[in-house]
Amino acid sequence: MLKKVTLLTASALTAFAMNTGEININNKDLEISGQFDIGQFNDAVEPDTMFVGAKFINADADHSDDEHADIDPYFEASFLMMRPIGDQSMKIGMGAKVNFTKDFMSIPLGLQFAYNLPVKAYFPMYLNGELYYAPSVLSFSDADSFLEYRLSLDLEIIDNGRVTFGYRSIDTNYEAGDFTYNAYWYIGFKVNF
């Protein structure tokens, strides 16, 4: 019984470790992101519940609406609040981002989830998803709206080290027309520290 409790506790701690660094690639795109737990630096904030983050995407036009478009790098800063729900194998959160690329800026609001899958496998597995949207009132410069969604599956092959497989879709819609900035599959590494 003690062994099971110890394993469950260790799994819970590694399932939702505090800071995260991530790199995702495919044949044309590069994505680098980091997320930092505010609770580690501020005693008034409960650890592992509030995060600030940054993201950079160097996308290729082959994974957008127009393969001849001039695709500029994408930058993002984010704030996220997450809480465990149910038996604590699932976390749900809400957040906001500020993102920009050339002639485009928006402040999307959204939801995220992380679920520790209850499957018996060689590695712990996690399902993650997010959905962010900015209507025209939260879109600036030449932007009309923004929509991003992604779904990923993580395999924790070593403690706090995961391989991730996912799909992302980022629509940076302009006043002149709709434009899919990037939509494609990726593979990457996540490190929790």
Side-chain angles (χ1 to χ4, degrees):
M1 181 67 174
L2 180 60
K3 185 177 179 181
K4 287 183 181 180
V5 171
T6 305
L7 287 173
L8 285 173
T9 303
S11 295
L13 290 174
T14 59
F16 305 114
M18 297 183 184
N19 302 318
T20 305
E22 185 172 356
I23 183 168
N24 297 319
I25 60 171
N26 57 37
N27 62 334
K28 302 274 185 174
D29 308 321
L30 170 67
E31 176 181 25
I32 299 172
S33 65
Q35 202 171 41
F36 300 96
D37 181 9
I38 297 172
Q40 285 188 346
F41 308 107
N42 184 349
D43 292 335
V45 177
E46 184 180 335
D48 204 23
T49 60
M50 298 178 106
F51 304 90
V52 292
K55 184 179 294 180
F56 166 78
I57 300 176
N58 189 18
D60 191 273
D62 286 350
H63 299 156
S64 71
D65 281 343
D66 182 1
E67 63 185 42
H68 302 294
D70 184 17
I71 302 291
D72 293 300
Y74 170 94
F75 298 92
E76 172 184 293
S78 63
F79 174 78
L80 175 68
M81 295 176 13
M82 288 196 91
R83 295 273 190 236
I85 60 171
D87 64 359
Q88 299 197 9
S89 61
M90 181 172 218
K91 289 181 86 172
I92 191 161
M94 59 184 196
K97 300 179 178 187
V98 175
N99 56 36
F100 63 92
T101 185
K102 186 179 179 184
D103 302 323
F104 185 95
M105 181 179 173
S106 69
I107 303 174
L109 307 175
L111 300 172
Q112 290 187 222
F113 77 89
Y115 181 58
N116 184 351
L117 295 171
V119 295
K120 295 188 184 221
Y122 293 108
F123 308 110
M125 299 170 69
Y126 306 89
L127 184 63
N128 308 290
E130 63 183 72
L131 174 66
Y132 281 85
Y133 177 68
S136 60
V137 71
L138 294 175
S139 301
F140 308 99
S141 192
D142 293 338
D144 182 53
S145 67
F146 174 86
L147 175 66
E148 175 185 5
Y149 62 89
R150 65 174 64 216
L151 190 63
S152 65
L153 176 68
D154 297 349
L155 303 174
E156 189 170 25
I157 58 172
I158 60 173
D159 286 345
N160 298 319
R162 302 180 186 178
V163 174
T164 185
F165 305 92
Y167 180 82
R168 73 173 163 255
S169 176
I170 302 173
D171 287 325
T172 52
N173 297 325
Y174 290 80
E175 293 170 353
D178 292 349
F179 182 72
T180 299
Y181 176 81
N182 186 261
Y184 212 72
W185 296 95
Y186 61 84
I187 185 171
F189 293 126
K190 259 184 211 177
V191 178
N192 298 323
F193 56 96

